[in-house]
Amino acid sequence: SCSSTDDADPGNGNSGGSGASGGITVAGNTIRIDLTIQTRLASSGGWLLIQDARTLVANINGTYVAMTSVCTHSGCSDSWS
């Protein structure tokens, strides 16, 4: 559950585009993130919504995890924004 200090709304503007100027490059099914530019992933609990790739990346205790909004069964996409 979320406490008053947690950010419970992933649509709060913490999203990244896929332009190289923003430190994010999307090519096919590969996402490259320049962590010197995208500093929101620097600490545990940091996250980044990459809308162009329909992917949420999070730093969980120093381990990076990526989740997609695309259904693995039918290929449809939920709308994360």
Side-chain angles (χ1 to χ4, degrees), residues 42-71:
S43 60
S44 182
W47 58 271
L48 181 66
L49 178 60
I50 306 170
Q51 292 177 347
D52 293 347
R54 296 179 272 177
T55 303
L56 175 72
V57 180
N59 178 339
I60 312 256
N61 297 322
T63 299
Y64 297 101
V65 295
M67 298 161 276
T68 181
S69 65
V70 178
C71 174

Side-chain angles (χ1 to χ4, degrees), residues 21-48:
S21 63
I24 301 169
T25 305
V26 178
N29 63 356
T30 301
I31 301 169
R32 286 199 159 79
I33 302 170
D34 183 337
L35 297 175
T36 62
I37 296 172
Q38 290 295 333
T39 59
R40 292 173 283 192
L41 291 171
S43 60
S44 182
W47 58 271
L48 181 66

